[in-house]
């Protein structure tokens, strides 16, 4: 039923989300605001009256993807009435340029204005609205998000970053570090628990720096508080910073079985000299020490990381140290990127002196080595049984279920009944470098 008093009454909306899980969760929250204003999800962009593009600016390539999508939307708009706009990191970074550029963009909404998105869209019918400013302090949302998954729920615990790593634009887009009060975090976790969610994924640019000063709660304490909420059985978190790692966090994880034995800890480079130039605040040896601490307390823990190749001045020898770090640590998974100069960052003021060809060949070398490490490791898992949270069905074959193991590996498997949303013990029968395949041997609980 529609309500003509609501500003977006009767409109159908769709999102296109680029970038990280933080953006995915933001889109879920923005969808909540649009629905509260009377709009309804359209499913596809093709059938929407309003399209919101949530953007990422972490690399030049991420930004370019936006401009090609805007082209498509402009074409669509020539054929029928359509409002579209940009939110997220590019909205923040390019707020003055975006509506110019003959872009057809109707609205640009910055992070702090998210609770006003419906109003801004309503006002933009007829004129462009630019709203992008940064403020300090956490602002709690006022309406529930519309979530993509009914199994695994994102909970943002902090936003922004104060680290200013030399290559990174995020402190300029997401702004200063803001921590969500512990009671608000717990209220959302309880709500997810009441709705039968099985897994909680805590989000933030730097979660292990979490501090709720009013209650004196740090990240290790927060994990304990969340684990005490009955219902969800797995807790994950991203992203952590090696510089803020403490042995007490590792001990808290080890003492809390609900916290998955998985840790995403971006190393970026295996060379202490490059790390110094990146202003990361730790050395190769510090990182290796952290890995030893985690593995001594939780031998089964699966580590993953982000890697940048071709950072300004990276020599063949320094790059070799990244390869040797990968060979030594044996990550379960990595995300690797060619360095890309970003506006406003410290690194953008120094020469981007590693050629595109060298960057590409280094990236291929990193990925080839990692593929070999993963293949070798996955082969050792054949015949073992892994507990998997089934999050849906395989896109390629709906008869196959898909999920993730506790270590965050992708597992595709067959089962004799519908197990979406359930924990399943899966016997691993065959493996590839990026996923495991098997069959359900038993359902775990409820
Ligand atoms: N160039 C390449 N990769 C980058 N990242 C962040 N900034 C850049 C950049 N300018 C990578 C880092 C980070 C991940 C989210 O993106 O590895 O951890
Ligand atoms: Fe960017 Fe560094 Fe902050 Fe991560 S910690 S968001 S890489 S500045």
């Amino acid at each position: 039923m529609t309500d003509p008093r609501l500003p977006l009454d009767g409109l159908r909306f769709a999102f296109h989300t680029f970038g990280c899980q933080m953006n995915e969760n933001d889109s879920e929250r923005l969808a909540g605001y649009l629905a509260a204003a009377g709009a309804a999800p359209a499913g596809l962009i093709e059938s929407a009256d309003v399209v919101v593009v949530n953007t990422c600016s972490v690399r030049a390539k991420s930004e370019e993807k936006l401009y090609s999508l805007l082209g498509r939307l402009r074409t669509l708009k020539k054929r029928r009435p359509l409002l579209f706009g940009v939110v997220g990191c590019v909205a923040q970074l390019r707020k003055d340029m975006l509506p110019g550029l003959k872009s057809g963009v109707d609205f640009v909404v910055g992070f702090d204005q998210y609770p006003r998105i419906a109003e801004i869209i309503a006002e933009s019918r007829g004129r462009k609205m630019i709203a992008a400013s940064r403020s300090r302090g956490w602002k709690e949302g006022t309406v529930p998000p519309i979530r993509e998954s009914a199994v695994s729920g994102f909970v943002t615990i902090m936003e922004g970053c104060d680290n200013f790593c030399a290559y990174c634009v995020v402190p300029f887009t997401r702004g200063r570090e803001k921590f969500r009060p512990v009671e608000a975090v717990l209220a959302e976790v309880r709500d997810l628990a009441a709705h039968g969610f099985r897994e909680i994924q805590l989000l933030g640019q730097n979660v292990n720096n979490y501090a709720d000063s009013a209650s004196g709660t740090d990240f290790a304490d927060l994990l304990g508080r969340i684990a005490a909420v009955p219902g969800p059985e797995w807790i994950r978190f991203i992203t952590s910073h090696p510089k803020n790692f403490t042995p007490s966090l590792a001990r808290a994880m080890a003492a809390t079985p609900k916290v998955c034995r998985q840790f995403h800890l971006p190393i970026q480079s295996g060379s202490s000299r490059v790390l110094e130039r990146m202003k990361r605040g730790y050395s190769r040896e510090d990182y290796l020490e952290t890995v030893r601490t985690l593995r001594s307390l939780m031998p089964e823990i699966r580590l993953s990381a982000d890697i940048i190749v071709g950072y300004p001045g990276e020599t063949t020898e320094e790059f070799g140290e990244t390869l040797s770090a990968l060979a030594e640590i044996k990550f379960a998974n990595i995300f690797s990127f060619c360095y890309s100069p970003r506006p406003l960052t410290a690194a953008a003021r120094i020469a981007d002196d590693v050629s595109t060809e060298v960057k590409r060949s280094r990236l291929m070398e990193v990925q080839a080595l990692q593929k070999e490490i993963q293949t070798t490791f996955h082969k050792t898992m054949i015949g073992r049984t892994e507990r998997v949270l089934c999050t849906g069905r395989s896109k390629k074959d709906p008869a196959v279920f898909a999920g993730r193991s506790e270590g965050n590996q992708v597992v595709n498997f067959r089962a004799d009944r519908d197990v979406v949303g359930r924990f399943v013990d899966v016997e691993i029968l065959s493996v590839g470098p990026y996923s495991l395949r098997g069959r359900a041997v038993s359902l775990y609980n409820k």
Side-chain angles (χ1 to χ4, degrees):
M1 220 166 42
T2 65
D3 180 348
R5 286 165 304 178
L6 294 172
L8 300 183
D9 177 55
L11 291 185
R12 286 157 60 81
F13 67 82
F15 278 77
H16 189 103
T17 304
F18 293 106
C20 60
Q21 282 95 337
M22 198 88 177
N23 270 10
E24 286 173 31
N25 185 225
D26 285 348
S27 292
E28 293 178 338
R29 291 194 283 175
L30 289 166
Y33 287 112
L34 299 190
L44 291 173
I45 285 182
E46 283 64 29
S47 40
D49 307 301
V50 182
V51 175
V52 182
V53 188
N54 197 350
T55 58
C56 171
S57 60
V58 81
R59 284 168 294 277
K61 253 197 197 152
S62 340
E63 222 183 303
E64 284 154 18
K65 288 188 207 156
L66 162 69
Y67 299 116
S68 66
L69 177 61
L70 291 183
R72 262 179 58 204
L73 292 171
R74 264 197 306 276
T75 313
L76 210 57
K77 198 175 185 161
K78 284 188 192 129
R79 282 190 251 133
R80 64 173 179 86
L82 172 70
L83 287 172
F84 66 88
V86 180
V87 304
C89 285
V90 184
Q92 207 62 52
L93 195 66
R94 312 278 186 208
K95 52 184 176 288
D96 305 322
M97 281 168 56
L98 271 173
L101 285 180
K102 299 197 184 69
S103 63
V105 168
D106 296 289
F107 53 91
V108 178
V109 185
F111 294 106
D112 287 336
Q113 308 296 329
Y114 281 3
R116 288 186 54 226
I117 186 165
E119 216 180 297
I120 293 169
I121 293 175
E123 286 172 28
S124 79
R125 299 197 222 181
R127 72 187 172 94
K128 294 195 196 320
M129 180 81 191
I130 306 160
S133 69
R134 303 297 308 137
S135 72
R136 281 163 190 271
W138 180 268
K139 288 207 179 52
E140 189 59 31
T142 47
V143 300
I146 296 185
R147 297 182 185 271
E148 289 288 323
S149 167
V151 181
S152 178
F154 292 130
V155 175
T156 296
I157 65 163
M158 58 89 62
E159 201 199 339
C161 183
D162 287 358
N163 289 317
F164 293 93
C165 298
Y167 52 81
C168 187
V169 74
V170 168
F172 304 97
T173 58
R174 292 238 176 220
R176 297 290 63 71
E177 211 162 48
K178 295 171 263 291
F179 301 111
R180 188 174 185 192
V182 66
E183 283 312 324
V185 172
L186 289 173
E188 186 166 6
V189 172
R190 285 188 205 109
D191 184 60
L192 289 169
H195 287 90
F197 280 75
R198 305 287 183 162
E199 177 181 79
I200 304 290
Q201 296 199 51
L202 305 177
L203 302 179
Q205 269 70 41
N206 198 355
V207 290
N208 60 329
N209 205 30
Y210 181 85
D212 177 29
S213 50
S215 62
T217 308
D218 70 6
F219 186 57
D221 303 331
L222 184 70
L223 286 178
R225 299 283 302 271
I226 292 170
V229 177
E233 301 195 31
W234 277 359
I235 303 167
R236 300 183 195 275
F237 52 86
I238 36 171
T239 286
S240 303
H241 196 304
K243 156 171 87 69
N244 300 115
F245 174 83
T246 57
S248 79
L249 171 59
R251 285 194 294 272
M253 279 180 79
T256 317
K258 277 189 183 180
V259 178
C260 289
R261 286 352 187 189
Q262 178 229 330
F263 209 111
H264 182 66
L265 196 62
I267 185 172
Q268 311 297 3
S269 166
S271 154
S272 294
R273 276 167 306 175
V274 174
L275 290 169
E276 171 92 42
R277 299 204 294 277
M278 289 177 166
K279 305 223 177 312
R280 289 287 288 172
Y282 57 89
S283 65
R284 174 192 177 100
E285 201 32 58
D286 295 334
Y287 190 94
L288 292 175
E289 177 63 28
T290 296
V291 170
R292 281 192 288 272
T293 305
L294 285 165
R295 286 188 169 150
S296 70
L297 290 165
M298 294 165 280
E300 71 285 24
I301 196 164
R302 305 275 186 261
L303 305 174
S304 58
D306 298 345
I307 306 275
I308 297 176
V309 301
Y311 188 73
E314 185 184 71
T315 63
T316 311
E317 194 199 340
E318 286 166 346
F319 171 64
E321 292 179 274
T322 294
L323 293 177
S324 70
L326 291 181
E328 190 170 339
I329 298 164
K330 297 196 169 55
F331 291 106
N333 187 19
I334 62 164
F335 302 89
S336 50
F337 314 102
C338 292
Y339 168 72
S340 159
R342 304 309 292 137
L344 308 174
T345 61
R349 294 195 289 272
I350 48 180
D352 179 17
D353 58 359
V354 180
S355 71
T356 309
E357 294 71 48
V358 170
K359 279 182 193 157
R360 286 213 185 114
S361 86
R362 288 182 184 172
L363 189 69
M364 277 163 59
E365 230 181 305
V366 156
Q367 292 177 348
L369 171 60
Q370 182 62 24
K371 187 174 174 185
E372 203 181 295
I373 292 169
Q374 287 180 207
T375 306
T376 308
F377 173 60
H378 286 175
K379 282 186 182 154
T380 68
M381 299 183 73
I382 296 176
R384 281 174 42 172
T385 298
E386 285 280 315
R387 182 149 300 165
V388 172
L389 176 56
C390 180
T391 46
R393 290 171 187 267
S394 154
K395 285 192 192 89
K396 284 187 221 135
D397 179 357
V400 174
F401 293 94
R404 285 182 179 265
S405 67
E406 182 177 345
N408 209 29
Q409 288 150 303
V410 174
V411 185
N412 295 305
F413 61 97
R414 291 185 184 272
D416 58 9
R417 72 189 89 163
D418 184 355
V419 291
V420 174
R422 314 278 295 264
F423 285 99
V424 190
D425 287 333
V426 176
E427 184 192 358
I428 305 303
L429 300 173
S430 67
V431 298
Y434 307 110
S435 65
L436 312 173
R437 288 178 291 272
R439 65 179 180 99
V441 287
S442 60
L443 274 179
Y444 164 67
N445 81 7
K446 292 168 280 230

